[in-house]
mmCIF file of all heavy atoms in Angstrom:
data_model
loop_
_atom_site.group_PDB
_atom_site.id
_atom_site.type_symbol
_atom_site.label_atom_id
_atom_site.label_comp_id
_atom_site.label_asym_id
_atom_site.label_seq_id
_atom_site.Cartn_x
_atom_site.Cartn_y
_atom_site.Cartn_z
ATOM 1 N N ALA A 140 91.323 125.954 106.958
ATOM 2 C CA ALA A 140 92.695 125.673 107.208
ATOM 3 C C ALA A 140 93.271 124.461 106.488
ATOM 4 O O ALA A 140 92.441 123.400 106.380
ATOM 5 C CB ALA A 140 92.957 125.540 108.677
ATOM 6 N N GLN A 141 94.488 124.490 106.054
ATOM 7 C CA GLN A 141 95.005 123.375 105.319
ATOM 8 C C GLN A 141 94.942 122.074 106.256
ATOM 9 O O GLN A 141 94.731 120.956 105.657
ATOM 10 C CB GLN A 141 96.500 123.673 104.915
ATOM 11 C CG GLN A 141 97.048 122.515 104.126
ATOM 12 C CD GLN A 141 98.430 122.912 103.555
ATOM 13 O OE1 GLN A 141 98.518 123.733 102.687
ATOM 14 N NE2 GLN A 141 99.524 122.409 104.159
ATOM 15 N N ALA A 142 95.222 122.215 107.469
ATOM 16 C CA ALA A 142 95.163 121.119 108.385
ATOM 17 C C ALA A 142 93.891 120.417 108.441
ATOM 18 O O ALA A 142 93.870 119.159 108.466
ATOM 19 C CB ALA A 142 95.766 121.467 109.814
ATOM 20 N N ASP A 143 92.818 121.169 108.474
ATOM 21 C CA ASP A 143 91.484 120.534 108.483
ATOM 22 C C ASP A 143 91.257 119.812 107.178
ATOM 23 O O ASP A 143 90.667 118.695 107.204
ATOM 24 C CB ASP A 143 90.375 121.598 108.620
ATOM 25 C CG ASP A 143 90.449 122.293 110.047
ATOM 26 O OD1 ASP A 143 90.514 121.491 111.046
ATOM 27 O OD2 ASP A 143 90.334 123.430 110.191
ATOM 28 N N LYS A 144 91.649 120.359 106.118
ATOM 29 C CA LYS A 144 91.513 119.691 104.803
ATOM 30 C C LYS A 144 92.266 118.297 104.699
ATOM 31 O O LYS A 144 91.733 117.370 104.281
ATOM 32 C CB LYS A 144 91.771 120.571 103.632
ATOM 33 C CG LYS A 144 90.941 121.832 103.541
ATOM 34 C CD LYS A 144 91.423 122.767 102.475
ATOM 35 C CE LYS A 144 90.598 124.024 102.336
ATOM 36 N NZ LYS A 144 91.002 124.961 101.260
ATOM 37 N N VAL A 145 93.493 118.503 105.100
ATOM 38 C CA VAL A 145 94.332 117.298 105.062
ATOM 39 C C VAL A 145 93.851 116.161 106.005
ATOM 40 O O VAL A 145 93.799 115.016 105.645
ATOM 41 C CB VAL A 145 95.839 117.625 105.431
ATOM 42 C CG1 VAL A 145 96.640 116.396 105.730
ATOM 43 C CG2 VAL A 145 96.474 118.466 104.458
ATOM 44 N N ALA A 146 93.288 116.551 107.137
ATOM 45 C CA ALA A 146 92.813 115.559 108.111
ATOM 46 C C ALA A 146 91.552 114.875 107.634
ATOM 47 O O ALA A 146 91.427 113.594 107.663
ATOM 48 C CB ALA A 146 92.509 116.279 109.430
ATOM 49 N N ALA A 147 90.681 115.622 106.939
ATOM 50 C CA ALA A 147 89.448 114.979 106.349
ATOM 51 C C ALA A 147 89.769 114.188 105.277
ATOM 52 O O ALA A 147 89.251 113.039 105.074
ATOM 53 C CB ALA A 147 88.492 116.121 106.011
ATOM 54 N N LEU A 148 90.696 114.642 104.311
ATOM 55 C CA LEU A 148 90.954 113.795 103.119
ATOM 56 C C LEU A 148 91.762 112.489 103.552
ATOM 57 O O LEU A 148 91.525 111.417 102.967
ATOM 58 C CB LEU A 148 91.768 114.635 102.189
ATOM 59 C CG LEU A 148 90.997 115.723 101.512
ATOM 60 C CD1 LEU A 148 91.937 116.707 100.808
ATOM 61 C CD2 LEU A 148 89.859 115.262 100.590
ATOM 62 N N ASP A 149 92.730 112.606 104.441
ATOM 63 C CA ASP A 149 93.464 111.507 105.033
ATOM 64 C C ASP A 149 92.526 110.438 105.665
ATOM 65 O O ASP A 149 92.717 109.238 105.628
ATOM 66 C CB ASP A 149 94.577 111.791 105.953
ATOM 67 C CG ASP A 149 95.729 112.369 105.312
ATOM 68 O OD1 ASP A 149 95.813 112.230 103.897
ATOM 69 O OD2 ASP A 149 96.740 112.945 105.839
ATOM 70 N N ALA A 150 91.422 110.947 106.321
ATOM 71 C CA ALA A 150 90.553 110.038 106.997
ATOM 72 C C ALA A 150 89.690 109.203 105.944
ATOM 73 O O ALA A 150 89.113 108.216 106.240
ATOM 74 C CB ALA A 150 89.575 110.863 107.844
ATOM 75 N N GLY A 151 89.571 109.734 104.694
ATOM 76 C CA GLY A 151 88.831 109.043 103.665
ATOM 77 C C GLY A 151 87.850 109.902 102.940
ATOM 78 O O GLY A 151 87.060 109.308 101.983
ATOM 79 N N ALA A 152 87.737 111.208 103.160
ATOM 80 C CA ALA A 152 86.910 112.011 102.357
ATOM 81 C C ALA A 152 87.441 112.065 100.935
ATOM 82 O O ALA A 152 88.625 112.032 100.705
ATOM 83 C CB ALA A 152 86.838 113.364 102.992
ATOM 84 N N ASP A 153 86.557 112.268 100.052
ATOM 85 C CA ASP A 153 86.916 112.314 98.579
ATOM 86 C C ASP A 153 87.050 113.774 98.066
ATOM 87 O O ASP A 153 87.858 113.926 97.027
ATOM 88 C CB ASP A 153 85.848 111.596 97.752
ATOM 89 C CG ASP A 153 85.768 110.136 98.108
ATOM 90 O OD1 ASP A 153 86.609 109.348 97.713
ATOM 91 O OD2 ASP A 153 84.747 109.854 98.861
ATOM 92 N N ASP A 154 86.434 114.712 98.694
ATOM 93 C CA ASP A 154 86.562 116.125 98.212
ATOM 94 C C ASP A 154 86.221 117.028 99.476
ATOM 95 O O ASP A 154 85.742 116.582 100.477
ATOM 96 C CB ASP A 154 85.494 116.343 97.144
ATOM 97 C CG ASP A 154 85.761 117.557 96.301
ATOM 98 O OD1 ASP A 154 86.753 118.257 96.673
ATOM 99 O OD2 ASP A 154 85.064 117.817 95.369
ATOM 100 N N TYR A 155 86.614 118.278 99.221
ATOM 101 C CA TYR A 155 86.479 119.248 100.347
ATOM 102 C C TYR A 155 86.020 120.515 99.738
ATOM 103 O O TYR A 155 86.604 121.206 98.914
ATOM 104 C CB TYR A 155 87.697 119.383 101.014
ATOM 105 C CG TYR A 155 87.680 120.129 102.408
ATOM 106 C CD1 TYR A 155 87.946 119.337 103.682
ATOM 107 C CD2 TYR A 155 87.398 121.445 102.593
ATOM 108 C CE1 TYR A 155 87.895 119.961 104.885
ATOM 109 C CE2 TYR A 155 87.488 122.016 103.825
ATOM 110 C CZ TYR A 155 87.585 121.140 104.925
ATOM 111 O OH TYR A 155 87.632 121.809 106.192
ATOM 112 N N VAL A 156 84.848 121.134 100.131
ATOM 113 C CA VAL A 156 84.365 122.296 99.594
ATOM 114 C C VAL A 156 84.174 123.191 100.855
ATOM 115 O O VAL A 156 83.619 122.842 101.867
ATOM 116 C CB VAL A 156 82.983 122.204 99.014
ATOM 117 C CG1 VAL A 156 82.383 123.464 98.536
ATOM 118 C CG2 VAL A 156 83.073 121.156 97.871
ATOM 119 N N THR A 157 84.586 124.431 100.796
ATOM 120 C CA THR A 157 84.544 125.394 101.870
ATOM 121 C C THR A 157 83.323 126.297 101.695
ATOM 122 O O THR A 157 82.906 126.591 100.601
ATOM 123 C CB THR A 157 85.909 126.285 101.949
ATOM 124 O OG1 THR A 157 86.033 126.953 100.698
ATOM 125 C CG2 THR A 157 86.963 125.519 102.390
ATOM 126 N N LYS A 158 82.786 126.662 102.856
ATOM 127 C CA LYS A 158 81.650 127.619 102.952
ATOM 128 C C LYS A 158 82.191 128.974 102.983
ATOM 129 O O LYS A 158 83.185 129.237 103.736
ATOM 130 C CB LYS A 158 80.745 127.365 104.146
ATOM 131 C CG LYS A 158 80.085 125.948 104.185
ATOM 132 C CD LYS A 158 79.447 125.651 105.519
ATOM 133 C CE LYS A 158 78.791 124.359 105.679
ATOM 134 N NZ LYS A 158 78.204 124.147 107.008
ATOM 135 N N PRO A 159 81.557 130.054 102.464
ATOM 136 C CA PRO A 159 80.362 129.908 101.671
ATOM 137 C C PRO A 159 80.674 129.210 100.274
ATOM 138 O O PRO A 159 81.782 129.290 99.758
ATOM 139 C CB PRO A 159 79.862 131.395 101.368
ATOM 140 C CG PRO A 159 81.137 132.183 101.544
ATOM 141 C CD PRO A 159 82.009 131.367 102.557
ATOM 142 N N PHE A 160 79.644 128.606 99.654
ATOM 143 C CA PHE A 160 79.977 127.894 98.397
ATOM 144 C C PHE A 160 78.914 128.293 97.360
ATOM 145 O O PHE A 160 77.773 128.790 97.781
ATOM 146 C CB PHE A 160 79.961 126.435 98.700
ATOM 147 C CG PHE A 160 78.535 125.914 99.206
ATOM 148 C CD1 PHE A 160 77.656 125.325 98.326
ATOM 149 C CD2 PHE A 160 78.240 126.002 100.589
ATOM 150 C CE1 PHE A 160 76.394 124.916 98.826
ATOM 151 C CE2 PHE A 160 76.953 125.681 101.074
ATOM 152 C CZ PHE A 160 76.042 125.053 100.116
ATOM 153 N N GLY A 161 79.023 127.914 96.209
ATOM 154 C CA GLY A 161 78.087 128.079 95.143
ATOM 155 C C GLY A 161 77.431 126.796 94.894
ATOM 156 O O GLY A 161 78.060 125.769 94.746
ATOM 157 N N MET A 162 76.035 126.873 94.815
ATOM 158 C CA MET A 162 75.262 125.623 94.576
ATOM 159 C C MET A 162 75.664 124.910 93.227
ATOM 160 O O MET A 162 75.866 123.621 93.198
ATOM 161 C CB MET A 162 73.838 125.914 94.529
ATOM 162 C CG MET A 162 73.018 124.747 94.415
ATOM 163 S SD MET A 162 73.230 123.424 95.682
ATOM 164 C CE MET A 162 72.575 124.173 97.050
ATOM 165 N N ASP A 163 76.020 125.744 92.210
ATOM 166 C CA ASP A 163 76.328 125.087 90.917
ATOM 167 C C ASP A 163 77.729 124.258 91.109
ATOM 168 O O ASP A 163 77.855 123.165 90.600
ATOM 169 C CB ASP A 163 76.472 126.158 89.834
ATOM 170 C CG ASP A 163 75.073 126.621 89.370
ATOM 171 O OD1 ASP A 163 74.118 126.030 89.629
ATOM 172 O OD2 ASP A 163 75.114 127.669 88.784
ATOM 173 N N GLU A 164 78.607 124.846 91.893
ATOM 174 C CA GLU A 164 79.808 124.209 92.032
ATOM 175 C C GLU A 164 79.644 122.876 92.802
ATOM 176 O O GLU A 164 80.166 121.857 92.433
ATOM 177 C CB GLU A 164 80.888 125.042 92.767
ATOM 178 C CG GLU A 164 82.213 124.363 92.915
ATOM 179 C CD GLU A 164 83.189 125.294 93.793
ATOM 180 O OE1 GLU A 164 82.888 126.374 94.108
ATOM 181 O OE2 GLU A 164 84.218 124.538 94.137
ATOM 182 N N LEU A 165 78.824 122.990 93.871
ATOM 183 C CA LEU A 165 78.615 121.781 94.654
ATOM 184 C C LEU A 165 77.955 120.696 93.905
ATOM 185 O O LEU A 165 78.421 119.567 93.892
ATOM 186 C CB LEU A 165 77.749 122.099 95.856
ATOM 187 C CG LEU A 165 77.526 120.996 96.864
ATOM 188 C CD1 LEU A 165 78.695 120.318 97.433
ATOM 189 C CD2 LEU A 165 76.516 121.361 97.968
ATOM 190 N N LEU A 166 76.998 121.057 93.044
ATOM 191 C CA LEU A 166 76.354 120.093 92.178
ATOM 192 C C LEU A 166 77.286 119.515 91.271
ATOM 193 O O LEU A 166 77.180 118.194 90.970
ATOM 194 C CB LEU A 166 75.196 120.726 91.544
ATOM 195 C CG LEU A 166 73.950 121.181 92.291
ATOM 196 C CD1 LEU A 166 73.013 122.016 91.520
ATOM 197 C CD2 LEU A 166 73.259 119.964 92.985
ATOM 198 N N ALA A 167 78.203 120.346 90.677
ATOM 199 C CA ALA A 167 79.191 119.689 89.779
ATOM 200 C C ALA A 167 80.115 118.746 90.389
ATOM 201 O O ALA A 167 80.538 117.721 89.895
ATOM 202 C CB ALA A 167 80.031 120.908 89.073
ATOM 203 N N ARG A 168 80.455 119.131 91.705
ATOM 204 C CA ARG A 168 81.432 118.094 92.433
ATOM 205 C C ARG A 168 80.622 116.897 92.854
ATOM 206 O O ARG A 168 81.286 115.790 92.807
ATOM 207 C CB ARG A 168 81.854 118.889 93.665
ATOM 208 C CG ARG A 168 82.943 119.857 93.398
ATOM 209 C CD ARG A 168 83.322 120.678 94.716
ATOM 210 N NE ARG A 168 84.224 121.762 94.375
ATOM 211 C CZ ARG A 168 85.585 121.611 94.544
ATOM 212 N NH1 ARG A 168 86.156 120.536 94.859
ATOM 213 N NH2 ARG A 168 86.402 122.676 94.329
ATOM 214 N N ILE A 169 79.356 116.939 93.075
ATOM 215 C CA ILE A 169 78.601 115.785 93.357
ATOM 216 C C ILE A 169 78.543 114.781 92.146
ATOM 217 O O ILE A 169 78.774 113.726 92.130
ATOM 218 C CB ILE A 169 77.138 116.107 93.822
ATOM 219 C CG1 ILE A 169 77.045 116.777 95.160
ATOM 220 C CG2 ILE A 169 76.215 114.940 93.753
ATOM 221 C CD1 ILE A 169 75.762 117.323 95.611
ATOM 222 N N ARG A 170 78.327 115.540 90.965
ATOM 223 C CA ARG A 170 78.309 114.649 89.773
ATOM 224 C C ARG A 170 79.643 113.979 89.451
ATOM 225 O O ARG A 170 79.726 112.855 89.107
ATOM 226 C CB ARG A 170 77.780 115.524 88.509
ATOM 227 C CG ARG A 170 76.398 116.015 88.645
ATOM 228 C CD ARG A 170 75.999 116.589 87.319
ATOM 229 N NE ARG A 170 76.692 117.920 86.910
ATOM 230 C CZ ARG A 170 76.363 119.042 87.346
ATOM 231 N NH1 ARG A 170 75.150 119.259 88.004
ATOM 232 N NH2 ARG A 170 77.038 120.114 86.988
ATOM 233 N N ALA A 171 80.720 114.746 89.677
ATOM 234 C CA ALA A 171 82.078 114.242 89.485
ATOM 235 C C ALA A 171 82.308 113.066 90.358
ATOM 236 O O ALA A 171 82.847 112.020 90.045
ATOM 237 C CB ALA A 171 83.096 115.351 89.582
ATOM 238 N N ALA A 172 81.959 113.257 91.646
ATOM 239 C CA ALA A 172 82.267 112.155 92.662
ATOM 240 C C ALA A 172 81.455 110.925 92.318
ATOM 241 O O ALA A 172 82.008 109.815 92.405
ATOM 242 C CB ALA A 172 81.830 112.729 94.028
ATOM 243 N N LEU A 173 80.228 111.071 91.936
ATOM 244 C CA LEU A 173 79.423 109.954 91.556
ATOM 245 C C LEU A 173 79.957 109.249 90.372
ATOM 246 O O LEU A 173 79.885 107.942 90.206
ATOM 247 C CB LEU A 173 77.950 110.272 91.373
ATOM 248 C CG LEU A 173 77.247 110.749 92.622
ATOM 249 C CD1 LEU A 173 75.895 111.297 92.366
ATOM 250 C CD2 LEU A 173 77.083 109.635 93.517
ATOM 251 N N ARG A 174 80.491 110.053 89.324
ATOM 252 C CA ARG A 174 81.113 109.470 88.191
ATOM 253 C C ARG A 174 82.310 108.569 88.570
ATOM 254 O O ARG A 174 82.495 107.442 88.086
ATOM 255 C CB ARG A 174 81.489 110.386 87.113
ATOM 256 C CG ARG A 174 80.427 111.003 86.368
ATOM 257 C CD ARG A 174 80.915 111.760 85.148
ATOM 258 N NE ARG A 174 81.835 112.813 85.413
ATOM 259 C CZ ARG A 174 81.566 114.075 85.658
ATOM 260 N NH1 ARG A 174 80.276 114.365 85.571
ATOM 261 N NH2 ARG A 174 82.395 114.976 85.901
ATOM 262 N N ARG A 175 83.079 109.037 89.476
ATOM 263 C CA ARG A 175 84.300 108.294 89.920
ATOM 264 C C ARG A 175 83.911 107.048 90.685
ATOM 265 O O ARG A 175 84.768 106.057 90.507
ATOM 266 C CB ARG A 175 85.145 109.121 90.827
ATOM 267 C CG ARG A 175 85.796 110.286 90.037
ATOM 268 C CD ARG A 175 86.986 110.926 91.000
ATOM 269 N NE ARG A 175 86.481 111.446 92.231
ATOM 270 C CZ ARG A 175 86.049 112.713 92.314
ATOM 271 N NH1 ARG A 175 86.135 113.559 91.249
ATOM 272 N NH2 ARG A 175 85.641 113.300 93.429
ATOM 273 N N THR A 176 82.777 106.910 91.307
ATOM 274 C CA THR A 176 82.564 105.793 92.146
ATOM 275 C C THR A 176 81.580 104.799 91.459
ATOM 276 O O THR A 176 81.391 103.816 91.975
ATOM 277 C CB THR A 176 81.939 106.175 93.427
ATOM 278 O OG1 THR A 176 80.701 106.982 93.171
ATOM 279 C CG2 THR A 176 82.901 106.965 94.222
ATOM 280 N N THR A 177 81.036 105.178 90.308
ATOM 281 C CA THR A 177 80.169 104.269 89.631
ATOM 282 C C THR A 177 80.934 103.140 88.936
ATOM 283 O O THR A 177 81.725 103.520 88.064
ATOM 284 C CB THR A 177 79.346 105.016 88.583
ATOM 285 O OG1 THR A 177 78.455 105.921 89.221
ATOM 286 C CG2 THR A 177 78.335 103.957 87.932
ATOM 287 N N PRO A 178 80.859 101.890 89.363
ATOM 288 C CA PRO A 178 81.694 100.971 88.727
ATOM 289 C C PRO A 178 81.365 100.709 87.200
ATOM 290 O O PRO A 178 80.240 100.756 86.868
ATOM 291 C CB PRO A 178 81.328 99.613 89.512
ATOM 292 C CG PRO A 178 79.983 99.880 90.130
ATOM 293 C CD PRO A 178 79.856 101.280 90.339
ATOM 294 N N GLY A 179 82.404 100.454 86.455
ATOM 295 C CA GLY A 179 82.214 100.151 85.064
ATOM 296 C C GLY A 179 81.581 98.756 84.905
ATOM 297 O O GLY A 179 81.726 97.882 85.775
ATOM 298 N N THR A 180 80.893 98.550 83.768
ATOM 299 C CA THR A 180 80.243 97.298 83.684
ATOM 300 C C THR A 180 81.272 96.095 83.563
ATOM 301 O O THR A 180 81.032 94.879 83.858
ATOM 302 C CB THR A 180 79.400 97.205 82.313
ATOM 303 O OG1 THR A 180 80.241 97.625 81.230
ATOM 304 C CG2 THR A 180 78.338 98.236 82.432
ATOM 305 N N GLY A 181 82.557 96.364 83.054
ATOM 306 C CA GLY A 181 83.519 95.352 82.996
ATOM 307 C C GLY A 181 84.053 94.918 84.310
ATOM 308 O O GLY A 181 84.707 93.836 84.360
#
Side-chain angles (χ1 to χ4, degrees):
Q141 179 174 292
D143 290 316
K144 297 178 182 179
V145 170
L148 294 170
D149 279 351
D153 298 282
D154 199 357
Y155 196 110
V156 179
T157 53
K158 299 175 182 175
F160 63 97
M162 181 57 70
D163 287 343
E164 179 188 351
L165 179 61
L166 291 170
R168 288 176 183 262
I169 290 171
R170 291 192 295 271
L173 291 171
R174 282 198 300 272
R175 288 195 295 271
T176 56
T177 300
T180 55

